[in-house]
Amino acid sequence: DVKVTQSSRYLVKRTGEKVFLECVQDMDHENMFWYRQDPGLGLRLIYFSYDVKMKEKGDIPEGYSVSREKKERFSLILESASTNQTSMYLCASSLLDRDYEQYFGPGTRLTVT
Amino acid sequence: GESVGLHLPTLSVQEGDNSIINCAYSNSASDYFIWYKQESGKGPQFIIDIRSNMDKRQGQRVTVLLNKTVKHLSLQIAATQPGDSAVYFCAENSFMDTGRRALTFGSGTRLQVQP
């Protein structure tokens, strides 16, 4: 059974803190993605990666960075968390040539106070 | 990316009835259209896709229709069951400025199945 896991289901951080969200997939997928999900806005792409050490900006990269040092792991970093980054963060992965069929993790609900 | 939108935020149907969830898109260059299902507390799950050169595709109890003339996409669920209760997202797979493809999701429709 395919699996995408995220390091935390719930996370509470203070404004200004550096936050790391980790994602691991066991399907040997080339592509990995980070989205944020907010009510009424659907899923918005933050960053994605199609290979180790490769990354591309999505629609809303401001305030975020990513790291992909190993194929199975994709990290989202909030350099200095702000209250407007309170959201549900979803990680996904896919095969390189089936980028429309993405497998999602359960999400991390991040609250920044 | 360009917008992908939905006509109705909530759809309530009786168990056993057929459900139709609609979606409008605006990017004529999209080459794939996809439907995802998100159950409470879980990440979205891929249901079915349709290529832009098709107008209909059937899966198990689901049918997706694509009308490129009016830029409309629909998901039909036959004999809706309680397990179909979820939020459904349409998405389009289109090219970014870098040449890579990415999904643009709509805002979702909640399907509620009444017993």
Side-chain angles (χ1 to χ4, degrees), chain A residues 9 37 50 56 99-100 102, chain B residues 36 38 41 98 100-101:
Chain A
R9 289 304 301 269
Q37 183 174 22
Y50 51 91
E56 286 213 21
D99 48 7
Y100 53 89
Q102 296 180 13
Chain B
Y36 280 82
Q38 186 175 26
T98 57
R100 296 281 169 185
R101 295 195 310 187

Side-chain angles (χ1 to χ4, degrees), chain A residues 7-30:
Chain A
S7 50
S8 306
R9 289 304 301 269
Y10 300 94
L11 209 53
V12 180
K13 295 291 182 181
R14 292 180 180 258
T15 301
E17 279 193 88
K18 191 168 185 175
V19 183
F20 293 87
L21 302 182
E22 305 284 340
C23 175
V24 178
Q25 51 97 2
D26 65 358
M27 297 164 281
D28 202 35
H29 284 169
E30 293 85 3

Side-chain angles (χ1 to χ4, degrees), chain A residues 20-74:
Chain A
F20 293 87
L21 302 182
E22 305 284 340
C23 175
V24 178
Q25 51 97 2
D26 65 358
M27 297 164 281
D28 202 35
H29 284 169
E30 293 85 3
N31 293 329
M32 294 189 76
F33 309 85
W34 275 107
Y35 295 89
R36 64 176 282 176
Q37 183 174 22
D38 300 289
L41 296 178
L43 281 73
R44 292 180 292 167
L45 182 64
I46 305 171
Y47 267 98
F48 67 102
S49 169
Y50 51 91
D51 200 355
V52 174
K53 296 192 185 297
M54 305 304 290
K55 61 184 179 184
E56 286 213 21
K57 294 179 180 179
D59 297 318
I60 52 165
E62 297 79 17
Y64 304 94
S65 62
V66 290
S67 173
R68 190 153 180 216
E69 296 297 316
K70 292 185 178 182
K71 189 176 184 180
E72 67 271 18
R73 187 179 297 269
F74 192 35

